[in-house]
Every structure is written in C-alpha cells, then in structure tokens.
C-alpha cells in the first residue's frame, strides 16, 4: 500500500480527515508520518492518538530557510513516502525542496485558485463580495499557491456571512476533497498534461 506524509503547522483537521479516510478504507493509502513546523501544533496530539509517527522540524532552530528545507526534506525522506501532503502547513518552501518532491507534493488551499492565493482568503473573499468561494487541492510548483489543480469544491457566500461562518463552510468541503484527491493520486489516476490534471475516469 502507498504511504503518505502530512505536513502541518496547527490544528490539523485536514490531516485528521486523511487519517480517518485511511482508517475507514476510503483512502487506500496509509499515513507514514505527520511532521509539524510548530512543536505546539494541536494536530500532533491527534496524530499520536491515532498511532501515527510524528516529528517536529521547527524553523526557529535553523539558521536559514535553506537549512530548514534540507532538514525537512531529510525528515520526510526517512519515511520514503509516495506522496507528501501540505495540509495547513504555514511555511513557504524553497525551489529546491519543491523540485525534490515534484509530482508527489500536493497542497490544500482555502480558496478557488487562482483567486486569493496567500493568507486570509476568507476575509478577502468577503471583502471582494464574491458569491462563491471554496477550496483547491493542487500539485505544488515553485509559485506560491499555484500548480496543476486536482480538485476544487465550491460553497455559496451568504449576505450574513462572517469570516468564521465562511471558513467553517469551506473547511467542511476541504475534509471531503483532500482525501478524494489523495485517493486519486495513490490509485495512479492523475496525469498532468500541459499544466492541466487529467483524471482517469475509467476506474
Ligand atoms: C485549512 O483551511 C487549509 O486549507 C489551510 O489552512 C487551514 C488548516 O486547517 N491551508 P487544519 O490545520 O487542516 O485544521
């Protein structure tokens, strides 16, 4: 069975959705490890409770971004995963790191990319008055929050929405779309053709 490593920095609810999907058999892949950039990340406890190996690679302990990226890559490689999933991982990774894991590095972002890359996506969506918002799972390329799109989910934006209500509505979709995208990956159903992801629908 293929194995994945999840990188987190906080709450880890997307990571938990992956562990649940693996445990229930909806996701035919197993978690090799959960790695956090923050020692106090809430998600670490959930991962340990689920019996998954955890590691912390704290950027504060490295002299440069490159040194951090190297240590992170080494920690990941020790588990030899088929796939590396950024799920609420709040660090920008350098080009060398991205190249090293190219084609097997995916990210979940809380907006309908290419709209609203970066931070505070829900606040910015409300400020723009968009009627629809959502989330995107994509292959990671050196450009921030950019790269071939594997899956997206859309939610309506209501007049009385505030950041908290909108983010909760999007998060519910994230928890569905991420395990689905990872399942497609581990089933070898995804190919990238001229920057667009094709899903093999014959299976
Ligand atoms: C999610 O909205 C994810 O899309 C974004 O950060 C949030 C992390 O939430 N990148 P969690 O840690 O998975 O609960």
């Amino acid at each position: 069975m293929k194995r994945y490593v999840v990188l987190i920095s906080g709450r880890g609810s997307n990571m938990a959705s992956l562990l649940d999907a693996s445990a229930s058999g909806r996701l035919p892949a197993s978690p090799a490890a959960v790695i956090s950039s923050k020692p106090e990340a809430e998600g670490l406890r959930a991962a340990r409770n689920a019996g998954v190996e955890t590691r912390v690679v704290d950027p504060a302990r490295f002299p440069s971004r490159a040194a951090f990226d190297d240590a992170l890559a080494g920690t990941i490689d020790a588990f030899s995963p088929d796939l590396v999933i950024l799920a609420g991982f709040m660090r920008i990774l350098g080009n060398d790191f991205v190249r090293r894991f190219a084609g097997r590095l995916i990210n979940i972002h809380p907006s309908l990319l290419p709209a609203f890359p970066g931070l505070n996506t829900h606040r910015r969506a409300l400020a723009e008055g968009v009627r629809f918002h959502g989330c995107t799972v994509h292959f990671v390329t050196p450009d921030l929050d950019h790269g071939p799109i594997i899956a997206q989910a859309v939610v309506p934006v209501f007049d009385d929405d505030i950041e908290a209500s909108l983010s909760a509505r999007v998060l519910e979709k994230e928890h569905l779309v991420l395990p689905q995208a990872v399942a497609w990956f581990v089933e070898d159903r995804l190919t990238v053709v001229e920057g667009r992801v094709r899903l093999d629908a014959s299976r």
Side-chain angles (χ1 to χ4, degrees):
M1 185 173 290
K2 292 199 171 149
R3 296 155 75 249
Y4 60 86
V5 162
V6 192
L7 305 190
I8 64 168
S9 298
R11 179 177 57 185
S13 70
N14 277 294
M15 171 220 71
S17 79
L18 291 166
L19 302 192
D20 286 352
S22 288
S24 72
R26 276 178 295 128
L27 172 56
S30 57
V34 170
I35 302 172
S36 173
S37 61
K38 297 228 173 96
E40 71 284 3
E42 242 179 278
L44 283 171
R45 194 168 344 124
R48 280 189 212 110
N49 288 343
V52 177
E53 290 243 31
T54 61
R55 298 284 186 276
V56 174
V57 184
D58 182 353
R61 300 173 66 100
F62 296 91
S64 65
R65 181 187 287 199
F68 167 76
D69 281 7
D70 266 1
L72 181 62
T75 306
I76 294 169
D77 280 343
F79 293 98
S80 315
D82 299 281
L83 175 63
V84 180
I85 303 160
L86 309 179
F89 186 69
M90 302 304 286
R91 295 284 307 176
I92 294 176
L93 295 162
N95 290 357
D96 288 348
F97 182 97
V98 171
R99 262 194 294 274
R100 181 159 169 168
F101 296 102
R104 55 190 183 106
L105 182 61
I106 73 175
N107 179 44
I108 178 137
H109 181 75
S111 78
L112 293 171
L113 291 173
F116 310 121
L119 297 174
N120 302 316
T121 56
H122 308 306
R123 195 185 312 162
R124 288 156 59 208
L126 288 171
E128 290 293 342
V130 296
R131 295 296 174 188
F132 295 96
H133 187 43
C135 58
T136 303
V137 181
H138 64 96
F139 285 108
V140 175
T141 62
D143 298 333
L144 180 67
D145 295 329
H146 204 267
I149 292 171
I150 302 168
Q152 292 185 302
V154 179
V155 302
V157 180
F158 299 125
D159 289 347
D160 60 353
D161 264 327
I162 57 171
E163 213 177 326
S165 58
L166 184 56
S167 72
R169 195 173 307 122
V170 171
L171 192 64
E172 227 176 274
K173 295 290 186 190
E174 292 183 45
H175 295 165
L176 298 175
V177 95
L178 182 59
Q180 177 64 80
V182 173
W184 288 335
F185 179 92
V186 298
E187 290 165 353
D188 292 322
R189 291 174 64 184
L190 303 176
T191 43
V192 181
V193 182
E194 288 170 7
R196 291 171 69 182
V197 176
R198 298 261 172 80
L199 171 66
D200 178 354
S202 69
R203 284 182 277 158

